[in-house]
Amino acid sequence: MESSPSGVQQEEERNWLELPRDVTSTILSRLGAIEILTSAQNVCSSWRNICKDPLMWRTIDMRNPGDTYGMDYDLETMCRHAIDLSCGQLVDINIEFFGTDELLKYLTDRSSMVRRLRLICCYSISDNGLSEAAAKLPLLEDLEISYHSLSNEPLEAIGHCCPLLKSLKLNCRGFRHPHLAIDDEAVAIAKSMPELRHLQLFGNKLTNEGLQAILDGCPHLESLDLRQCFNIALAGNLGKRCAEQIKDLRRPYDSTEGYEFDAGIHNTYDYDDDSYDEDYPSGFSDIDFLTDDGEYYEFSGGSDLTDDYDFYFD
């Protein structure tokens, strides 16, 4: 009998299908919803059964690259299936680029236990749609609405309807433009969200007056991120108060390391020739969505959803 060369051992092949159910569930839960619905649940009947377990859908992560052209599936339809699979046990959901008023209504009609909601670049969600959704999310504790233009009305509705809200992220692209100083969002937060502990306003246009309102109206704030809020000047008494009241303070010109989105800054916009500065970085900007009359275009990188595509989870 021939022996194997010294020091060489034949590694036994691992059969991933024989792993205990709880271990497999843990592994699969680390995938995003898109990967589970398009790939993992098709591997075998065992994985398919695990993927139908409502506990697998307490968290739904619909993260996607934003460029949906060429996709052979409909993200909104897929998200509805994921919501159905949660059987009302959904507590955490992330929707990027393709959110609509109809999808938000579908979600809140079936998932009143949601505690964390993340909406990124969902320009098809209106102020009214967000206000109506807030009324159905009484347990909401953590909310992010980034790269989306809001008026103060839905923010106030969120504050009044979601009394447990502890964390809010309201981020946009840093943009230096002297006359764009807006405190509406800051005032709405100050008036309606007294229990906030964590607030991120990356790239916001609030001024010192808006910041003062937040400090007055949100006395329990522990962390405040003001990076690229270029209308803020943290000097004198205001700077001293922030340092004393806020444990974790990010100032307007602090490093953007660790920020998950493009942190490039837009500078002066030239209205005469309707062009940007030559060295503008690519990414999101308020200007990208503004028309001449101040209205917002829908985000051009959103989903190109097809009406005739049916997604089935048999």
Side-chain angles (χ1 to χ4, degrees):
M1 178 181 298
E2 294 184 1
S3 59
S4 300
S6 176
V8 177
Q9 296 181 353
Q10 187 71 29
E11 183 177 345
E12 183 178 353
E13 292 186 4
R14 182 185 299 275
N15 187 346
W16 293 98
L17 301 182
E18 294 180 354
L19 289 174
R21 181 184 176 91
D22 59 337
V23 175
T24 303
S25 297
T26 300
I27 294 172
L28 293 177
S29 66
R30 296 179 181 274
L31 300 176
I34 297 173
E35 289 78 10
I36 293 175
L37 294 175
T38 59
S39 301
Q41 61 105 11
N42 295 319
V43 170
C44 64
S45 59
S46 175
W47 283 24
R48 192 172 187 80
N49 288 332
I50 292 174
C51 291
K52 288 184 177 181
D53 187 342
L55 293 178
M56 283 285 295
W57 301 99
R58 286 173 59 83
T59 295
I60 296 176
D61 186 353
M62 296 294 297
R63 199 167 310 185
N64 67 87
D67 183 5
T68 59
Y69 296 105
M71 278 189 179
D72 57 355
Y73 45 79
D74 183 327
L75 289 174
E76 184 169 348
T77 301
M78 188 180 294
C79 187
R80 289 174 183 246
H81 278 280
I83 292 168
D84 290 341
L85 288 167
S86 73
C87 297
Q89 298 190 46
L90 176 63
V91 297
D92 183 343
I93 184 167
N94 174 28
I95 299 172
E96 297 188 2
F97 295 102
F98 65 92
T100 63
D101 284 348
E102 292 75 18
L103 178 60
L104 199 54
K105 183 178 187 303
Y106 193 89
L107 163 67
T108 54
D109 283 346
R110 291 159 178 78
S111 307
S112 60
M113 294 176 59
V114 171
R115 289 172 170 78
R116 183 174 186 266
L117 175 62
R118 195 168 187 251
L119 303 172
I120 312 298
C121 296
C122 293
Y123 279 87
S124 293
I125 293 179
S126 67
D127 285 1
N128 186 57
L130 195 55
S131 297
E132 292 181 357
K136 301 175 184 178
L137 297 173
L139 301 181
L140 191 66
E141 299 177 3
D142 187 333
L143 174 65
E144 177 173 358
I145 310 171
S146 291
Y147 301 98
H148 185 108
S149 176
L150 285 176
S151 68
N152 59 319
E153 285 83 3
L155 283 175
E156 289 189 22
I158 290 166
H160 294 312
C161 296
C162 308
L164 301 180
L165 191 67
K166 298 294 190 298
S167 178
L168 175 66
K169 292 183 179 181
L170 197 65
N171 302 321
C172 61
R173 181 67 179 273
F175 180 47
R176 290 194 183 101
H177 207 300
H179 73 266
L180 289 180
I182 305 172
D183 283 321
D184 292 356
E185 294 173 346
V187 171
I189 291 169
K191 287 171 56 178
S192 64
M193 303 179 186
E195 298 301 320
L196 275 185
R197 267 59 173 178
H198 310 283
L199 178 60
Q200 185 176 66
L201 296 173
F202 195 104
N204 198 275
K205 302 177 187 66
L206 81 163
T207 68
N208 281 14
E209 288 73 21
L211 175 57
Q212 185 74 48
I214 288 174
L215 294 175
D216 291 340
C218 307
H220 305 295
L221 268 185
E222 300 173 8
S223 67
L224 177 60
D225 190 344
L226 298 171
R227 286 177 293 177
Q228 296 193 6
C229 295
F230 296 121
N231 293 325
I232 295 291
L234 291 180
N237 291 333
L238 181 59
K240 181 179 179 182
R241 181 178 178 186
C242 283
E244 293 175 348
Q245 185 171 335
I246 309 299
K247 296 178 181 178
D248 182 8
L249 177 64
R250 299 287 188 93
R251 299 170 181 269
Y253 290 91
D254 281 356
S255 169
T256 59
E257 183 178 358
Y259 184 64
E260 64 179 303
F261 302 113
D262 183 356
I265 302 170
H266 279 266
N267 299 303
T268 304
Y269 184 71
D270 188 344
Y271 288 96
D272 294 331
D273 63 6
D274 199 37
S275 64
Y276 293 114
D277 225 318
E278 289 182 359
D279 59 351
Y280 277 171
S282 60
F284 306 108
S285 167
D286 299 271
I287 286 178
D288 293 337
F289 313 111
L290 281 172
T291 63
D292 292 337
D293 58 1
E295 296 296 325
Y296 279 81
Y297 289 116
E298 289 188 6
F299 182 66
S300 60
S303 289
D304 184 15
L305 302 178
T306 58
D307 294 330
D308 58 350
Y309 183 84
D310 293 319
F311 179 85
Y312 294 97
F313 193 118
D314 298 327

